[in-house]
Amino acid sequence: MPATTRATFDQVMVPSYAPGAFVPVTGKGSRLKDRSGRVLIDFAGGIAVTALGHCHPVVVKALKRQADRLWHVSNVVTNEPALELASKLVAKTFAERVFFCNSGAEANEAALKLARRVASDHEIVKGKRPDVAKRHEIVAFTNAFHGRTLFTVTATGQKKYLEGYGPLPAGIRHVPYNDLAAATAAITKRTCAVIVEPMQGEGGVTPATKAFLEGLRRRCDETGALLVFDEIQSGAGRTGALYAYMKYGVTPDILTTAKGLGAGFPIGAMLTTEKLAKHFTVGSHGTTFGGNPLACAVGSAVIDLISSKRVLAGVDKRHAAFVKGLAKINAKHGVFREIRGMGLLLGCELAPAHAGKAKDLVALAEKHGVMLLQAGPDVLRFAPSLVIPMADVKEGLKRLGKAVAEYCAAAA
Ligand SMILES: *Cc1c(COP(=O)(O)O)cnc(C)c1O
């Protein structure tokens, strides 16, 4: 077998991604190295996933320990790591029950199916379930991202992700994010669920206003709709709270989490109350790999670390360093219109003169040795490890400064 290269991608992979030229082979903390020994500072965290950096020793130890014990038993029997992780999530959040799966989309799929099921259960007459409950509508928001299964991508609602996949699941409508009046009008007694990101990630790194989430909670209580917080990106310590809902002081009925929960190992979970959970009766929903011992052993170690005061307080300290460094770059070059976000999910919206250039800047940053993300064509996104060393923050920002300088010199 000859060594693989970036060119191999085009020969053997489905072309639904366009990966960069850099092919990392090892990672340690917030540094990635390729075969040639080139090192990048990681400000991307694999799209807000590697919340503890690469190969965190405590997480590696948990995985290795479990690898020698038990990998898979299906859901015909339960297993200790799953029970342990669920117990921790229940102890640390509003939730009373947990459903495990393998990804964010699956967690949202479970949440939306549960909401439909709850509504349908309430309308059963003489043991007969309606084909489509009267209360079946789902309200979601413009610029949302909820995943790529047909149901969750329909809830995502962005044209570019939907084209060519119809017919789509019915009953999902979108209203503008942070527009409480529009949401209040859209949420009615026909609404079974409202799904919202407390901070939109893919859609541009846009935090919800407190009044918006409070208003959604109030309107859901008035109409009987369930409030679903998609915390797949904003959760697991990303905002400096274990989950962003804690920062807002607004509690959902259902919360979905994935990405950072496994810090790089695939896992997702849907958290809810006992009262709602009981509608998922035996056999009504399931997954082969959900709750597998390897993923849950990792998740358990991750939750212990990221829910510690030390890690969460460190997020605020790093947030401040990023904002300061980015503002300094902007004072020199004037490329950003706004620097926003919470904790270690930060977005720099490009000034109108540089609209659409986020992709070019991400490529230039890679050239200068720092890995970033986009959130749409106009926003640079930063989602580094929650424990990124301060020295790497400094060095990465220095490299970004050089990339922006090169960009500006070329644009002038
Ligand atoms: C990434 C993401 C998802 C989808 O998660 P997958 O693991 O890719 O299926 C859903 N919602 C939000 C907010 C996300 O950021």
Side-chain angles (χ1 to χ4, degrees), residues 27 57 77 231 276:
V77 291
E231 291 232 31
L276 293 173

Side-chain angles (χ1 to χ4, degrees), residues 53-331:
H54 300 280
C55 300
H56 189 287
V58 175
V59 182
V60 169
K61 194 172 155 207
L63 179 62
K64 282 185 170 167
R65 179 176 177 270
Q66 191 58 40
D68 283 328
R69 291 165 73 90
L70 186 69
W71 285 31
H72 177 83
V73 289
S74 87
N75 284 299
V76 172
V77 291
T78 189
N79 69 79
E80 290 179 352
L83 297 172
E84 231 171 76
L85 176 55
S87 301
K88 287 178 188 176
L89 290 168
V90 164
K92 289 174 190 290
T93 71
F94 77 97
E96 296 158 342
R97 296 291 185 270
V98 178
F99 175 83
F100 287 121
C101 49
N102 314 289
S103 67
E106 281 174 81
N108 282 338
E109 187 84 19
L112 297 178
K113 281 181 73 178
L114 178 60
R116 286 262 174 97
R117 185 83 176 190
V118 169
S120 161
D121 281 351
H122 288 146
E123 291 174 23
I124 287 179
V125 183
K126 290 194 190 124
K128 283 200 69 163
R129 182 186 294 285
D131 285 339
V132 178
K134 287 191 197 75
R135 184 195 282 281
H136 70 268
E137 287 182 7
I138 291 158
V139 172
F141 296 93
T142 317
N143 287 326
F145 187 82
H146 298 302
R148 302 293 198 127
T149 64
L150 204 52
F151 201 178
T152 59
V153 82
T154 307
T156 292
Q158 296 185 44
K159 200 161 163 260
K160 63 182 177 191
Y161 298 142
L162 285 166
E163 273 172 348
Y165 297 124
L168 303 172
I172 303 175
R173 56 191 293 188
H174 290 85
V175 290
Y177 189 68
N178 273 337
D179 182 341
L180 185 57
T184 302
I187 302 165
T188 68
K189 288 207 177 330
R190 288 188 308 280
T191 310
C192 69
V194 175
I195 183 165
V196 64
E197 296 157 86
M199 170 161 50
Q200 288 190 332
E202 308 295 313
V205 189
T206 312
T209 62
K210 192 166 168 16
F212 180 59
L213 295 185
E214 285 172 348
L216 291 181
R217 179 68 276 174
R218 212 162 38 238
R219 184 66 182 150
C220 284
D221 290 342
E222 274 165 23
T223 58
L226 300 180
L227 184 58
V228 181
F229 280 0
D230 177 345
E231 291 232 31
I232 289 159
Q233 192 153 163
S234 65
R238 184 61 43 200
T239 65
L242 182 55
Y243 285 96
Y245 85 86
M246 298 167 175
K247 253 195 152 135
Y248 282 96
V250 177
T251 304
D253 300 297
I254 301 175
L255 182 149
T256 53
T257 175
K259 292 208 163 99
L261 179 61
F265 200 93
I267 185 169
M270 180 195 71
L271 278 49
T272 189
T273 60
E274 189 269 333
K275 185 170 146 241
L276 293 173
K278 69 174 194 276
H279 291 267
F280 264 173
T281 51
V282 174
S284 61
H285 190 57
T287 153
T288 296
F289 291 119
N292 84 81
L294 288 172
C296 291
V298 170
S300 236
V302 170
I303 276 288
D304 284 346
L305 282 167
I306 62 176
S307 63
S308 71
K309 277 211 180 73
R310 192 178 57 82
V311 168
L312 293 176
V315 170
D316 293 338
K317 181 173 145 204
R318 288 163 177 79
H319 170 94
F322 265 97
V323 170
K324 195 170 157 210
L326 292 168
K328 204 168 135 199
I329 290 171
N330 205 33

